[in-house]
Amino acid sequence: MTTHAEIERKYEAESDTSVPALDTIPGVTTTSGPKHETLEAIYYDTPDLRLVRSGMTLRRREGGADEGWHLKVPAGPDQREEIRLPLDGSLGDLATLVQGITRGEPLEPVAHIRTNRTRWELLGRKGKLLAEVTDDRVTTDDKSWRELEVELGEGPRDLLDAAEENLRRAGFRRSKVPSKLSRALNRPIEKREPVHRKAKAGTAVIAYIAGQVDTLKHYDILVRQDTDDAVHQMRVATRRLRSALRVYRRLLDTGDLAAELRWLGQRLSPARDLEVQYDRIQQAVSSLPVELVPGPVQARLTRHFGPLQQEAGEHVLQTLRSKRYMKLLDRLDALVAEPPLTKKAGRKARKELPVHLARAHRKTARRVAAGEIHPARKAGKRLRYALEAAVPVLGKRADKARKRAKEFTKLGGEYQDHVVSLPTLRELAMQSHAANENAFTFGLLHGRAQAEAAQVERQLPGSWKRVKGV
């Protein structure tokens, strides 16, 4: 199983519109092609099209240089992550990755699409592949159409803009349909309206929550694929959701949903915490002169962290397969689809949201004044994420406060990482000593972590003073 970042734009035109000269696009020195291909693809989804409604497609395609199984997952404007398996792979391998979307519903064929493709390669200096342009004549059992795609290779992102200008002059226009399957099934893009400055409080908060639910489900797939940093990003989305529910709890009647998100965060934490500790200690060791690293220090790190990280990873996957997690996803979808808004949610966001943000600000301030560093950091994160939700309606003042809150929580995170590393470094030193290895390095790092934690602790009150209310 491999992953490919796909950055592309899709266009449409009348069937007789000619493709313009592509070597006139700025940065393109020459083109290769045209090459002709015939593609046959079977698309799979649940009976109620859960993948398509989430912006995803799953297909088995024969023909072309990349024939095989493809799962396409949205990853931002003009971008998708394409997870690939060879033709002899199985539907079950990819079905496992999308369990957070399908929730146990079976995957079945929903469309058979045939494509006659003409393909050009846009080349730069020394034959560098900048992009590919494909002109597709597409047919299904009951319709046919034409579409053209420009997929970025090693070229810069602005090459897409230059290519679009070239195509626009020739009569091509950006497609409003995200995929061949969407057109085959008559499924238009379901876009959320951007939040405007005059929005109601509930509208602004739900828009933020909806975006984080999408992010959570996106990283659910990448965690199941064991992608680097995916657990961290999934945990961040969980924290953002929980923060929004807690700070704006008087706008939404969500019962114990925040508590369930806390449960999910706790289940993800060990894997992420071990990853952070391993990376920090390994980098600290690498920064030391060779004479300060006597003995098999790297081997000791591997023996200590390897089994723990494997166990924590299995723990995460068990969580994602659990009925409790699936129920949580159902509740999050229901929250976005039919928000349980209170009367206060109907007030203007520009007047209502600052009231809730001020409450979160005061709570953090009390924690800082009491010297409760870890609770202050957690309260600061809730404030920071609540400010994120408010930026579309409160504008620069909320964004400035968000940036200052981020600086404060980042500093608090450094303190926490130093403190958490202390018992780990002590344990590593004891293990080394028991194995008749030299424990000097771990003792040195323990002392350094203590000193750096103390230094950060002194900086925190000043950092908090820069976090103003809105």
Side-chain angles (χ1 to χ4, degrees):
M1 189 177 295
T2 60
T3 301
H4 168 70
E6 185 179 75
I7 303 173
E8 68 176 19
R9 292 181 184 174
K10 192 182 296 287
Y11 301 87
E12 55 189 44
E14 303 303 323
S15 60
D16 58 351
T17 302
S18 299
V19 176
L22 300 173
D23 56 3
T24 62
I25 298 173
V28 177
T29 58
T30 187
T31 62
S32 173
K35 299 176 182 178
H36 301 283
E37 300 170 339
T38 300
L39 314 174
E40 296 271 347
I42 303 294
Y43 286 78
Y44 294 81
D45 208 332
T46 62
D48 58 353
L49 303 179
R50 297 188 179 192
L51 295 182
V52 170
R53 288 191 282 120
S54 296
M56 304 178 189
T57 58
L58 172 57
R59 72 187 178 204
R60 184 182 188 275
R61 189 174 74 186
E62 297 184 12
D66 63 341
E67 66 177 3
W69 290 89
H70 306 144
L71 171 64
K72 298 194 177 190
V73 182
D78 301 327
Q79 186 166 340
R80 294 184 291 184
E81 294 288 339
E82 185 176 83
I83 301 169
R84 299 174 176 174
L85 281 174
L87 278 176
D88 59 1
S90 71
L91 176 62
D93 293 330
L94 292 176
T96 299
L97 298 183
V98 295
Q99 285 179 338
I101 308 298
T102 60
R103 317 274 170 81
E105 289 295 310
L107 290 168
E108 58 186 32
V110 294
H112 179 198
I113 297 179
R114 297 169 292 277
T115 302
N116 289 319
R117 168 167 290 179
T118 303
R119 180 166 60 88
W120 294 265
E121 294 180 343
L122 309 187
L123 306 176
R125 298 178 60 184
K126 298 181 179 181
K128 182 179 181 180
L129 177 60
L130 303 178
E132 285 189 350
V133 176
T134 56
D135 185 8
D136 291 345
R137 309 288 174 147
V138 189
T139 60
T140 66
D141 291 339
D142 59 357
K143 66 180 67 175
S144 62
W145 67 91
R146 180 192 185 188
E147 64 181 49
L148 186 142
E149 295 177 359
V150 181
E151 181 176 348
L152 202 62
E154 299 179 70
R157 192 77 178 239
D158 58 9
L159 180 67
L160 291 176
D161 296 329
E164 181 162 321
E165 179 61 23
N166 179 281
L167 293 170
R168 187 189 60 79
R169 289 196 300 266
F172 288 85
R173 57 192 179 275
R174 286 285 289 270
S175 177
K176 297 181 179 180
V177 183
S179 66
K180 291 180 174 63
L181 181 60
S182 294
R183 189 182 293 274
L185 300 176
N186 295 316
R187 297 287 306 187
I189 299 176
E190 298 179 4
K191 286 188 175 180
R192 298 191 181 99
E193 293 297 324
V195 176
H196 54 80
R197 294 178 67 85
K198 295 183 179 180
K200 294 181 179 180
T203 300
V205 174
I206 287 297
Y208 180 77
I209 288 173
Q212 295 308 315
V213 171
D214 288 345
T215 300
L216 178 71
K217 290 190 285 188
H218 170 78
Y219 283 105
D220 170 295
I221 293 172
L222 299 185
V223 169
R224 295 173 192 270
Q225 200 189 2
D226 196 24
T227 303
D228 288 344
D229 202 44
V231 172
H232 170 56
Q233 296 300 332
M234 188 175 183
R235 188 172 70 162
V236 170
T238 302
R239 284 177 169 172
R240 283 186 161 108
L241 284 166
R242 185 169 170 240
S243 296
L245 294 183
R246 291 192 63 182
V247 174
Y248 299 117
R249 60 188 178 277
R250 300 184 186 186
L251 304 179
L252 300 166
D253 184 10
T254 58
D256 66 345
L257 187 54
E260 286 300 285
L261 287 166
R262 181 173 183 268
W263 164 80
L264 176 58
Q266 290 173 334
R267 300 283 291 189
L268 298 174
S269 289
R272 173 56 181 170
D273 292 344
L274 284 167
E275 180 182 38
V276 169
Q277 286 299 307
Y278 177 71
D279 289 344
R280 285 181 68 87
I281 296 174
Q282 189 176 52
Q283 289 173 13
V285 170
S286 299
S287 70
L288 293 173
V290 175
E291 62 269 21
L292 298 183
V293 190
V297 173
Q298 290 289 355
R300 172 57 55 189
L301 288 175
T302 301
R303 287 197 296 270
H304 176 79
F305 281 100
L308 294 176
Q309 288 180 309
Q310 182 177 355
E311 181 181 356
E314 293 171 354
H315 187 72
V316 168
L317 292 178
Q318 289 173 4
T319 299
L320 299 192
R321 291 192 290 262
S322 70
K323 292 181 180 179
R324 185 173 180 177
Y325 173 67
M326 293 298 172
K327 184 178 179 180
L328 171 58
L329 291 177
D330 288 340
R331 292 183 64 183
L332 290 172
D333 284 344
L335 171 63
V336 173
E338 298 183 14
L341 302 175
T342 66
K343 289 184 179 180
K344 291 183 177 181
R347 298 174 181 173
K348 291 182 178 180
R350 294 181 68 182
K351 293 184 177 180
E352 183 65 22
L353 297 190
V355 175
H356 303 266
L357 292 169
R359 187 182 301 113
H361 189 279
R362 290 193 298 270
K363 184 172 184 178
T364 308
R366 289 195 297 269
R367 300 294 193 193
V368 174
E372 301 171 349
I373 298 178
H374 187 49
R377 170 177 168 262
K378 292 196 295 184
K381 276 200 170 185
R382 286 194 293 272
L383 173 62
R384 168 189 163 189
Y385 295 144
L387 284 163
E388 283 183 353
V391 168
V393 292
L394 300 183
K396 291 183 179 179
R397 55 180 175 144
D399 194 41
K400 185 176 180 180
R402 176 196 64 81
K403 290 177 181 177
R404 294 290 175 82
K406 182 179 180 180
E407 292 171 3
F408 170 74
T409 57
K410 185 177 181 181
L411 200 60
E414 290 180 17
Y415 172 84
Q416 185 67 13
D417 288 342
H418 289 313
V419 170
V420 171
S421 71
L422 294 176
T424 301
L425 289 167
R426 183 181 184 278
E427 183 177 354
L428 286 165
M430 298 297 288
Q431 290 176 356
S432 298
H433 178 73
N436 293 320
E437 299 168 359
N438 196 317
F440 171 81
T441 301
F442 297 118
L444 174 64
L445 294 180
H446 188 282
R448 177 186 286 184
Q450 282 183 315
E452 291 176 347
Q455 181 180 7
V456 172
E457 184 177 1
R458 290 190 293 270
Q459 297 172 346
L460 281 168
S463 177
W464 171 249
K465 288 180 181 179
R466 292 190 289 272
V467 183
K468 305 298 183 182
V470 295

